[in-house]
Amino acid sequence: MSQHAATILDCGLAPTAEEVAAYLRDHPDFLLHRPELYRTLLPPRRLHGDNLTDHMAAMILAERARTRALEAEVQAAIEDGRAGATLVMRVRLAVLALMRARDVVETVGQELPALMRVESCTLLMEPGAAPPSRAADRNFGGFRRAGILPLPAGAVSRLVGRGRDARVRTEVTEALMLHAEAAGLVTRDALVRVPLACGTPCLLALGARDAAALPTRQTTTTLAFLGRTVAAALSR
């Protein structure tokens, strides 16, 4: 690049067409390392030699790459939508099972894994005092109900997140605490807040071996509904 053009650029001023041309002559591989610029360049109307032909080929390749990227995004969105729809159907089956359940905790642990196509469904609770007028809630708050696992204080908010009702995790932590004997099989899990009337923090943990069973997108609302259904069933 000419010394004058370099001075212009160093001063932060917009270069002239001649200065741009001088820079490109000094750096003939500039576009080679920035193929995305071909999408903003106007192609020549006629071809005059191999050099222009090469530029046209590069522009076509850049546009094809962009098209492939867009197609991949669309396909991913379609697959996410299908996975989300499948999860909705499974949650509906789980809700029906909870509605007819005589023993909700047993239904969660024994029936929901098959209905949800996951390896485990676990109910967990933090320590908490229930209102004395609700005998059933006192049992839950004291962990005297078989099948409900204990959680340390503050675990629900820490794991699910403050202000959130559910989340799907692709990197599973504290698997043994959340999924017990199924921990070794779980590669992805969903953590769902169960809003008990007594106020004791409660969590539903779903552990899956197959990632498709718990899609990461378009699922929070569906899983939150499942958590509310579990809470309603426990309060019966």
Side-chain angles (χ1 to χ4, degrees):
M1 181 169 62
S2 67
Q3 184 176 359
H4 176 66
T7 302
I8 293 292
L9 291 176
D10 291 339
C11 293
L13 301 176
T16 65
E18 290 74 15
E19 289 162 349
V20 172
Y23 181 85
L24 292 176
R25 279 194 295 270
D26 292 340
H27 301 81
D29 61 346
F30 180 80
L31 292 175
L32 177 64
H33 299 297
R34 295 168 177 81
E36 71 279 1
L37 293 178
Y38 279 109
R39 293 195 59 244
T40 63
L41 298 175
L42 293 176
R45 294 183 178 277
R46 299 178 63 183
L47 302 181
H48 299 283
D50 292 338
N51 288 338
L52 286 181
T53 303
D54 289 343
H55 279 282
M56 287 289 288
M59 295 178 76
I60 291 172
L61 289 175
E63 192 61 29
R64 286 177 178 172
R66 174 178 175 271
T67 300
R68 286 194 295 270
L70 290 174
E71 289 175 348
E73 291 181 9
V74 171
Q75 186 61 35
I78 292 173
E79 291 175 358
D80 285 339
R82 290 173 178 169
T86 300
L87 182 65
V88 168
M89 294 302 299
R90 293 173 182 171
V91 166
R92 287 176 179 174
L93 293 175
V95 169
L96 290 175
L98 291 167
M99 290 174 62
R100 60 174 171 74
R102 294 185 176 180
D103 188 323
V104 175
V105 177
E106 181 177 309
T107 298
V108 169
Q110 301 299 322
E111 293 188 41
L112 261 58
L115 295 174
M116 297 290 296
R117 304 290 178 87
V118 296
E119 305 307 314
S120 67
C121 292
T122 309
L123 276 172
L124 306 100
M125 283 188 186
E126 297 180 19
S133 60
R134 298 291 298 275
D137 287 342
R138 285 201 302 274
N139 288 337
F140 293 142
F143 298 116
R144 289 190 288 273
R145 177 62 171 89
I148 298 181
L149 302 182
L151 281 176
V156 173
S157 291
R158 175 174 59 82
L159 292 168
V160 180
R162 293 187 179 277
R164 301 176 64 178
D165 294 320
R167 66 180 295 203
V168 176
R169 305 189 303 173
T170 56
E171 296 184 6
V172 179
T173 60
E174 301 175 84
L176 187 60
M177 176 182 73
L178 296 170
H179 307 292
E181 65 272 9
L185 303 175
V186 174
T187 62
R188 172 177 296 198
D189 65 3
L191 306 179
V192 185
R193 196 184 296 269
V194 179
L196 296 177
C198 64
T200 300
C202 181
L203 183 72
L204 174 66
L206 310 175
R209 183 191 331 218
D210 182 7
L214 294 173
T216 57
R217 297 168 62 180
Q218 303 178 10
T219 58
T220 301
T221 302
T222 300
L223 291 171
F225 175 71
L226 177 61
R228 291 193 295 272
T229 302
V230 172
L234 286 171
S235 67
R236 291 203 304 262

